[in-house]
């Protein structure tokens, strides 16, 4: 079949070339942005006198009817059309005749693909911000219920100090807050319109690039035409931000896998978000968190893939750049569904605070508090306090209990330097609430952190909806 660019060619494309060269099978996902870009371009052409009002009306109507056909699933994408830009342009000419052929005046596929892809990435940037905020909201709602629920805080995955469950969830939420802020930064950095750059050097038609930028919702036109058609930083920024989100989800997921095991039993996943084994009838597997953890691999892969494609490309457009899309589409799709299901999985899990509390009594988590008590209240030097505390721990170990379970009289009998009132200090709750400095785990400080994040989420959601 004759190509839109076929004028100088004597032979038809080989079918293998068509298959190798075409991007239509994956870039058809850009159809909305392609039509949006073409409408803005046509309006601009009318504004600068290239199209008449009537021609513009025909083109806009033609593009709109193509959009409806694609939306309804009736449009057939053919590999011979090569990419979404040519598929839509030839459909337009078929539909409205000769006038359709004027649409590509003062435009190249190089600035066309640059604007389509950028619009797509920016639209998804906003959508992913909203999904992150939804997930944060869920974490905050649960945290709010658990500022007093004691659990073992761990370092090296070993019991360390008592914390509350709300505090732990806030630690997760802080990661997603930074993800939102990173996407906001990406948006600002890349919110410039490349359309009107032509093939690489601008156009001789006097394209009104301010008008294009404004019509398409960008802050401004890009500065340099050559940079505009060769820049894929917006896609790389997105892939890096998606990689960070995937990494954060993976760490959260890892904790869910651990916590839902018989060894921890801190949570039970809802049946709706767990799966069975084909051979072991008793099993309930945490497939959702495991997949959340696993998805990070392909997202990082896409980032490294595109960095590798871009490295060494001479400036302006090169066909290599066509390899920029699939990884971005895949990463966006997978991070979006991951954020949705992470939220639902967390929202529906049962939280076993009694098991958390029980496990917090394993490992003498308030030992540091005893040492601090000896220093502060009993005038003992820290090194000696450390030693005396060690003796109390040994005593409790011997008895098979946690130090927080010893009676006051028992503790006093271990060393004469220990003063009355020690029992209260060893209680896990007082240990947790003693950590009352800014950012600490006391119920009061946890509440302050919740309030701060609640404010962040509410303000951003208002902006998104407003
Ligand atoms: N399908 C191409 C891509 O995705 C569109 C741009 C093609 N431009 C060109 N001069 N061949 O990059």
């Amino acid at each position: 079949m004759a190509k839109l660019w076929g004028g100088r060619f004597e032979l038809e494309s080989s079918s293998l070339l068509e298959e190798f060269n075409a991007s239509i099978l994956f870039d058809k996902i850009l159809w909305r942005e392609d039509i949006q870009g073409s409408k803005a371009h046509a309006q601009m052409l009318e504004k600068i006198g290239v199209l008449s009002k009537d021609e513009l009306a025909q083109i806009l109507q033609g593009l709109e009817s193509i959009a409806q056909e694609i939306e309804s699933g009736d449009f057939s994408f053919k590999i011979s059309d090569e990419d979404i830009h040519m598929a839509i342009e030839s459909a337009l000419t078929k539909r409205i005749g000769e006038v359709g052929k004027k649409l590509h005046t003062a435009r190249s596929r190089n600035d066309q693909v640059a604007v389509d892809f950028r619009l797509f990435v920016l639209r998804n940037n906003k959508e992913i911000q909203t999904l992150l905020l939804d997930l944060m909201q869920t974490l905050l709602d649960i945290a709010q219920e658990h500022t007093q629920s004691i659990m073992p805080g761990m370092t090296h995955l070993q019991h360390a100090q008592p914390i509350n469950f709300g505090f732990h969830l806030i630690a997760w939420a802080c990661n997603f807050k930074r993800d939102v802020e990173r996407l906001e930064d990406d948006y600002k950095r890349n919110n410039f319109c490349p359309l009107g750059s032509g093939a690489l050097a601008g156009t001789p038609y006097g394209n009104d690039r301010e008008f294009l930028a404004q019509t398409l919702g960008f802050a401004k036109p890009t500065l340099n035409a050559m940079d505009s058609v060769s820049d894929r930083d917006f896609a790389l920024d997105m892939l890096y931000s998606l990689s960070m989100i995937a990494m954060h989800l993976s760490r959260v997921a890892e904790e869910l896998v651990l916590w839902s095991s018989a060894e921890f039993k801190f949570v039970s996943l809802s049946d709706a978000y767990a799966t069975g084994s084909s051979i072991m009838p008793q099993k309930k597997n945490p497939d959702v968190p495991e997949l959340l953890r696993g998805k990070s691999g392909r997202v990082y892969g896409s980032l490294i893939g595109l960095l590798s494609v871009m490295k060494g490309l001479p400036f302006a457009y090169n066909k290599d750049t066509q390899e920029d899309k699939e990884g971005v589409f895949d990463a966006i799709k997978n991070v979006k569904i991951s954020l949705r299901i992470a939220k639902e999985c967390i929202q529906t899990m049962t939280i076993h605070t009694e098991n958390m509390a029980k496990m917090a009594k394993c490992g003498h988590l308030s030992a540091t508090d005893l040492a601090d008590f000896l220093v502060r209240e009993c005038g003992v030097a820290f090194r000696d306090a450390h030693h005396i505390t060690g003796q109390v721990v040994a005593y409790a170990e011997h008895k098979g209990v946690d130090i927080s379970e010893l009676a006051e009289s028992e503790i006093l009998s271990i060393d004469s330097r220990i003063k009355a009132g020690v029992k209260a200090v060893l209680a896990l709750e007082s240990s947790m609430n003693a950590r009352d400095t800014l950012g600490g785990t006391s119920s009061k400080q946890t509440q302050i952190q919740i309030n701060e994040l609640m404010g962040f989420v509410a303000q951003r959601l208002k902006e998104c909806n407003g």
Side-chain angles (χ1 to χ4, degrees), residues 52 168 175 453:
S52 70
H168 197 121
N175 288 266
L453 291 187

Side-chain angles (χ1 to χ4, degrees), residues 417-431:
R417 286 168 287 182
I418 308 177
K419 284 190 179 168
V422 63
K423 167 83 181 156
V425 170
L426 293 186
L428 296 180
E429 195 168 285
S430 44
S431 168

Side-chain angles (χ1 to χ4, degrees), residues 23 27 82-83 85 108-110 113 232 317-319 321-322 324-325:
S23 52
D27 69 14
E82 196 175 314
D83 57 28
H85 325 295
S108 155
R109 272 187 298 155
N110 298 352
V113 71
R232 293 295 182 271
Y317 180 83
N318 300 272
K319 186 74 169 192
T321 317
Q322 181 166 288
D324 60 359
K325 292 177 202 58

Side-chain angles (χ1 to χ4, degrees), residues 113-126:
V113 71
V115 79
D116 290 6
F117 196 23
R118 205 182 276 238
L119 284 169
F120 181 88
V121 166
L122 291 178
R123 171 162 66 82
N124 279 284
N125 172 310
K126 288 272 193 226

Side-chain angles (χ1 to χ4, degrees), residues 92 112 292 333 336 392 434:
L92 182 70
Q112 200 178 353
L292 285 171
K333 187 175 105 194
K336 277 175 144 180
V392 177

Side-chain angles (χ1 to χ4, degrees), residues 146-174:
H146 289 283
T147 58
Q148 325 258 355
S149 311
I150 305 274
M151 73 184 293
M154 302 189 189
T155 62
H156 310 264
L157 204 63
Q158 307 289 328
H159 289 202
Q161 289 174 349
I163 60 172
N164 70 74
F165 183 53
F167 179 74
H168 197 121
L169 294 181
I170 297 301
W172 289 1
C174 286

